[in-house]
């Protein structure tokens, strides 16, 4: 039987809307409670260097209150490593981070950054934090993740989400090949970025994938149908694709 595909809900953009007015509404903690009630399997937050969405105090609150596993997306910096080691979230997903980008634009160069990442991953592994590397779906990056002893990779679906026509099949194949390669080597494959109701199906159908992390679309759609309905509909589409 195909294993359960977890849905991690990225609530960063609840904080983005809050921060636009500088107050405390909408409250990310309230969003977490909705995720819990709607059957989400985890909470993902990206504490960026510029704190443009989630802030340190949000992380304190979420860590103290939710029973859902927290997946902390973080740049490979000393500052973020210290924060992760202090909070000990369930998982830490290392992402590339450029100050000027609007969102995480490409995968981490796990191969090129081996020497920088190796001690960081070792410290996170030693602390019992499940390390994930956010990488492009290609064999070179999976090989690097194996050498780095990362237990999880998250495959960047951004290119898949933004292409069309013949390219779509090529991208989907790249993601499914990468998921299969990771799984064959004992690495748990996850995926995320740019996923929507319309494009999640073919990704959710990849049997080796164990988790999808989805944020911007779910929070955007919540404006029209509510966060609870948005999460439940995504869950239903994932389940339908999984068969
Ligand atoms: N996974 C990772 C590693 C990300 O950086 C992001 C965006 O913060 C997501 C998943 C979610 O992407 P989206 O907001 O486009 O659903």
């Amino acid at each position: 039987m195909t294993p359960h595909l977890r849905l991690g809900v990225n609530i960063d953009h609840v904080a983005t809307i809050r921060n636009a007015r500088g107050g405390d509404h909408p409250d990310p903690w309230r969003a977490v409670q909705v995720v819990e009630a709607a059957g989400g399997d985890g909470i993902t937050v990206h504490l960026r260097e510029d704190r443009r969405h989630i802030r340190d105090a949000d992380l304190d609150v979420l860590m103290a209150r939710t029973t859902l596993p927290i997946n902390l997306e973080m740049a490979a910096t000393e500052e973020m490593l210290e924060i992760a080691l202090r909070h000990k979230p369930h998982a830490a997903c290392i992402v590339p981070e450029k100050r000027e980008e609007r969102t995480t634009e490409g995968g981490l160069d796990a191969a090129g950054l081996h020497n920088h990442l190796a001690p960081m991953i070792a410290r996170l592994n030693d602390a019992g934090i499940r390390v994930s590397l956010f990488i492009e779906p290609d064999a070179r990056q999976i090989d690097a993740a194996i050498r780095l002893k990362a237990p999880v990779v998250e495959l960047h679906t951004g290119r898949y989400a933004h292409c069309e026509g013949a390219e779509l099949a090529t991208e989907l194949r790249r993601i499914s090949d990468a998921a299969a390669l990771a799984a064959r080597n004992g690495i748990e494959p996850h995926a995320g970025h740019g996923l929507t109701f319309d494009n999640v199906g073919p990704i959710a159908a990849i049997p080796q994938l164990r988790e999808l992390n989805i944020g911007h679309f779910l929070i955007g759609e919540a404006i029209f149908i509510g966060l609870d309905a948005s999460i439940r509909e995504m869950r239903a589409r994932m389940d339908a694709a999984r068969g």
Side-chain angles (χ1 to χ4, degrees):
M1 208 182 98
T2 314
H4 177 67
L5 180 62
R6 294 188 298 271
L7 171 59
V9 179
N10 181 319
I11 59 158
D12 286 338
H13 295 302
V14 176
T16 310
I17 298 171
R18 175 197 62 191
N19 299 350
R21 285 295 171 96
D24 55 14
H25 185 271
D27 182 356
W29 165 239
R30 200 165 149 204
V32 170
Q33 292 172 282
V34 177
V35 177
E36 289 173 350
D41 299 288
I43 300 293
T44 292
V45 287
H46 185 177
L47 187 69
R48 291 185 78 102
E49 187 191 17
D50 63 8
R51 309 302 197 264
R52 73 173 74 153
H53 25 66
I54 288 294
R55 299 176 181 145
D56 303 63
D58 293 316
L59 194 55
D60 291 339
V61 169
L62 304 191
M63 286 297 306
R65 294 189 189 165
T66 185
T67 53
L68 289 177
I70 292 189
N71 172 36
L72 175 67
E73 293 178 3
M74 53 176 265
T77 63
E78 235 357 88
E79 182 202 9
M80 289 302 152
L81 178 64
E82 291 309 321
I83 290 172
L85 292 172
R86 195 163 64 244
H87 285 281
K88 293 202 172 41
H90 167 77
C93 179
I94 303 183
V95 302
E97 191 174 303
K98 291 192 228 93
R99 212 171 288 192
E100 67 279 12
E101 71 191 354
R102 266 186 287 181
T103 180
T104 316
E105 280 164 3
L108 186 74
D109 182 10
L113 292 172
H114 178 96
N115 293 346
H116 176 68
L117 294 173
M120 212 168 251
I121 292 171
R123 288 180 69 190
L124 291 164
N125 279 343
D126 288 349
I129 300 169
R130 203 161 156 75
V131 178
S132 159
L133 303 180
F134 188 45
I135 56 172
E136 291 297 325
D138 74 50
R140 184 167 162 266
Q141 297 298 341
I142 305 273
D143 288 343
I146 296 166
R147 284 197 303 280
L148 284 163
K149 300 189 176 60
V152 178
V153 290
E154 182 167 326
L155 304 172
H156 198 310
T157 51
R159 198 182 298 186
Y160 160 80
H162 295 115
C163 70
E164 48 190 30
E167 225 189 306
L168 206 51
T170 308
E171 274 309 308
L172 199 53
R173 170 53 65 94
R174 257 168 37 93
I175 296 164
S176 69
D177 286 352
L181 179 63
R184 274 201 305 280
N185 285 281
I187 295 184
E188 186 175 292
H190 299 175
H193 210 279
L195 296 176
T196 68
F197 289 161
D198 289 339
N199 68 19
V200 77
I203 297 293
I206 297 171
Q208 293 87 358
L209 288 178
R210 301 299 300 273
E211 179 173 309
L212 301 183
N213 284 299
I214 308 180
H216 184 267
F217 178 84
L218 286 175
I219 305 303
E221 191 63 12
I223 293 168
F224 305 109
I225 65 171
L227 185 55
D228 184 89
S230 174
I231 293 166
R232 287 179 196 274
E233 178 65 20
M234 188 62 82
R235 178 76 260 167
R237 293 196 184 213
M238 286 162 58
D239 290 343
R242 208 74 171 170

